[in-house]
Amino acid sequence: MTTPQIIWLDEAGSTNSVMREMTADGSCHAGLVIAAHRQTAGRGQRGNSWESEPEKNLTFSMLLCPQALHARDQFTLSECVALGVAEAIESLMPENAPEIAVKWPNDIYAGDRKICGILIENSLSGCMIGKSIAGIGINVNQEVFRSDAPNPISIIHLTGNSTSTKRLLEDVCTRILVRCAALDAGENARIHSDYLARLWRRQGEHTYREPGGKIFLASIASIAPTGHITLRNTDGMHVTYAFKEVEAVL
């Protein structure tokens, strides 16, 4: 299995941008990681900024080079990244900690609070995934958040102890590469099953909102291997959504 190759920078605007520049020649060194002690222009999934106090958290990008992964199956790679991050965070948790779960499509939550954001940028080679850059931000030792983010939480809030960001980074990246090796070995079904088992709000009815503002109660009926979510509303009707076509209301 590939081992992580970690490069630490004192400061970067966006580690994803640095990674794109470093691999602009088309090279794909699987497991290459760019981490920044201070990131000044990190982005979230919906174009939001990512708040991260310098030296307190993990802000990094990881280069992934899947073998023979068709573009239609790219969500499986997102599942690998989310599972690797969630498993590493969970390994630090005390027994009474809230569940570490994956909020569709790939945010990591502790209970109902966000502890990690993931942004994946895929490059195609024909109809296949040529390479992927996974940008990851994990709240580790930051105790006070000043942005208008509605529900942040850090590992230190849950454990009461400071965590070594360098050791956590190595663990996260190693676990992601283990998952990616399983993907390369054709274990897509197992990865998807593990993703579904770790899904946030996987049981019961919860509140959702469509882009037009419509709010409704529904339960998760399924997540397709393509990443589409199917919700079952209170009338028993099933509706399928792509990313950004529906959002959970906290």
Side-chain angles (χ1 to χ4, degrees):
M1 186 193 75
T2 304
T3 56
Q5 308 161 55
I6 300 172
I7 299 172
W8 278 95
L9 303 177
D10 287 336
E11 181 174 307
S14 161
T15 56
N16 269 29
S17 297
V18 174
M19 184 70 80
R20 282 197 303 271
E21 293 171 4
M22 290 184 64
T23 59
D25 60 356
S27 60
C28 195
H29 305 289
L32 177 63
V33 178
I34 305 297
H37 292 294
R38 172 182 168 84
Q39 183 173 248
T40 58
R43 291 186 298 119
Q45 285 178 335
R46 299 176 184 271
N48 301 320
S49 61
W50 180 261
E51 180 187 359
S52 182
E53 188 176 341
E55 307 285 346
K56 295 287 188 179
N57 305 309
L58 281 175
T59 51
F60 65 100
S61 296
M62 186 173 189
L63 187 64
L64 303 172
C65 310
Q67 299 176 14
L69 181 64
H70 199 283
R72 64 172 176 264
D73 298 322
Q74 60 187 282
F75 186 68
T76 312
L77 191 62
S78 176
E79 292 177 325
C80 288
V81 175
L83 286 169
V85 174
E87 289 160 358
I89 293 174
E90 185 177 66
S91 72
L92 300 172
M93 293 297 108
E95 288 186 6
N96 61 345
E99 180 185 32
I100 303 302
V102 181
K103 176 179 173 288
W104 178 82
N106 57 13
D107 283 338
I108 309 301
Y109 268 44
D112 286 334
R113 301 180 69 180
K114 184 173 179 177
I115 199 167
C116 169
I118 298 170
L119 178 65
I120 298 179
E121 300 177 356
N122 294 316
S123 298
L124 298 182
S125 178
C127 61
M128 311 300 284
I129 301 296
K131 63 182 179 182
S132 294
I133 299 174
I136 302 170
I138 303 175
N139 299 330
V140 184
N141 296 316
Q142 184 166 340
E143 298 188 65
V144 178
F145 290 86
R146 296 176 174 83
S147 74
D148 58 358
N151 61 336
I153 195 170
S154 294
I155 291 174
I156 195 169
H157 293 143
L158 299 166
T159 64
N161 300 309
S162 180
T163 296
S164 167
T165 52
K166 291 189 176 182
R167 283 199 295 271
L168 178 58
L169 178 60
E170 291 171 0
D171 188 33
V172 167
C173 294
T174 298
R175 289 175 187 268
I176 290 173
L177 289 174
V178 167
R179 286 289 182 174
C180 289
L183 175 60
D184 290 339
E187 298 180 27
N188 303 47
R190 180 173 68 85
I191 293 167
H192 188 56
S193 177
D194 290 347
Y195 174 86
L196 294 177
R198 193 175 279 276
L199 199 61
W200 181 69
R201 291 187 174 178
R202 59 188 174 275
Q203 296 178 339
E205 292 183 339
H206 301 278
T207 307
Y208 293 86
R209 180 191 295 114
E210 293 180 347
K214 176 185 175 182
I215 294 177
F216 59 98
L217 278 176
S219 58
I220 297 175
S222 66
I223 307 285
T226 58
H228 290 77
I229 187 171
T230 298
L231 299 178
R232 181 191 303 108
N233 66 25
T234 52
D235 294 328
M237 186 176 181
H238 290 67
V239 182
T240 299
Y241 299 91
F243 177 53
K244 295 186 179 181
E245 291 181 348
V246 70
E247 64 176 341
V249 177
L250 294 170

